[in-house]
Amino acid sequence: MHKFVAIVGTNSDNSTNRKLLQFMQKHFAAQADIELVEIKGLPLFNKPENKQVPAAAQAIADKIDQADGVIISTPEYDHSAPAVLMNALEWLSYYIHPLADKPVMIIGASYGALGTSRAQEHLRQILDSPELRARIMPSSEFLLGHSLQAFDDDGNMIDQTKLAKLAGLFSDFETFVELTKKLNHANEANREEIHDLDWANL
């Protein structure tokens, strides 16, 4: 069984992105062990001179290191991913590199009709940056619009068409994780290149 870390990409206490991940954790329990990880407790990234990341960021990095893959659920604010998620990714690329060559699935929920398409595109670009180098599952957007009405009182997804798409994408992600394990010839070189990046000049 795969082990996945699911990052709640917001600091909101009442987030439908958290509800979406909680639903996945329950619905796909027979397929994978999904652990939700919060990022709202991280301090503001300040590029510390001692090159030490906060204990909370290191704890997230350790969980990612031990996981087979990462699922990130992002809201969309002003056509982009939220600052709190960018803050977490900055810590996770500052002299630690848990996302390097790690399979990542991006999903998102929003109150409006369009879902989080722009935020997901923005997040893909960031995760593909030289400092992060995650392996993002291609052609896999899951956009949950009208998310306030998307779940019943028990937290179950109401729209069966949306659920069928999510189930298909989740199965594809499991396949993507296994395929990624075979794309390992440049892993060591990638990590060495990232390690050699000098944050002082970025």
Side-chain angles (χ1 to χ4, degrees):
M1 181 180 288
H2 289 127
K3 166 70 176 177
F4 296 143
V5 165
I7 295 177
V8 182
T10 177
N11 57 0
S12 171
D13 290 330
N14 298 302
S15 168
T16 52
N17 282 277
R18 184 181 293 104
K19 284 185 177 180
L20 175 55
L21 290 175
Q22 289 171 336
F23 168 74
M24 292 178 66
Q25 184 182 48
K26 178 176 64 174
H27 188 76
F28 299 119
Q31 294 175 241
D33 177 9
I34 301 175
E35 179 182 0
L36 266 65
V37 170
E38 300 282 352
I39 59 173
K40 57 184 177 180
L42 292 174
L44 188 65
F45 181 71
N46 62 354
K47 203 173 178 180
E49 292 183 3
N50 63 6
K51 303 179 182 179
Q52 295 298 307
V53 301
Q58 185 63 59
I60 294 173
D62 292 343
K63 290 178 184 293
I64 293 173
D65 278 332
Q66 297 301 314
D68 296 302
V70 176
I71 304 167
I72 303 177
S73 191
T74 181
E76 182 170 311
Y77 302 149
D78 301 326
H79 291 183
S80 67
V84 67
L85 181 53
M86 300 302 97
N87 184 63
L89 293 175
E90 284 161 2
W91 282 122
L92 293 175
S93 62
Y94 189 68
Y95 296 103
I96 56 173
H97 311 289
L99 286 165
D101 295 326
K102 185 70 66 172
V104 176
M105 177 183 183
I106 303 173
I107 61 176
S110 72
Y111 296 172
L114 297 179
T116 61
S117 59
R118 296 181 182 90
Q120 291 192 35
E121 181 180 3
H122 179 216
L123 185 55
R124 282 177 179 274
Q125 293 175 338
I126 293 168
L127 289 168
D128 197 37
S129 67
E131 297 83 12
L132 286 164
R133 302 194 195 195
R135 294 190 185 273
I136 310 105
M137 187 167 77
S139 304
S140 59
E141 284 188 340
F142 180 74
L143 311 172
L144 185 63
H146 301 299
S147 57
L148 286 174
Q149 295 81 39
F151 303 98
D152 63 21
D153 292 340
D154 296 319
N156 297 310
M157 190 176 294
I158 296 171
D159 188 328
Q160 294 301 300
T161 300
K162 282 287 187 182
L163 175 54
K165 179 172 183 180
L166 178 61
L169 289 173
F170 188 78
S171 293
D172 285 347
F173 184 56
E174 291 190 288
T175 301
F176 181 68
V177 168
E178 291 304 308
L179 290 172
T180 300
K181 291 179 181 178
K182 299 179 181 180
L183 303 175
N184 59 5
H185 298 87
N187 286 6
E188 189 60 34
N190 280 338
R191 289 186 175 274
E192 287 181 5
E193 284 183 0
I194 297 172
H195 182 74
D196 289 341
L197 288 174
D198 185 357
W199 262 88
N201 295 320
L202 293 180

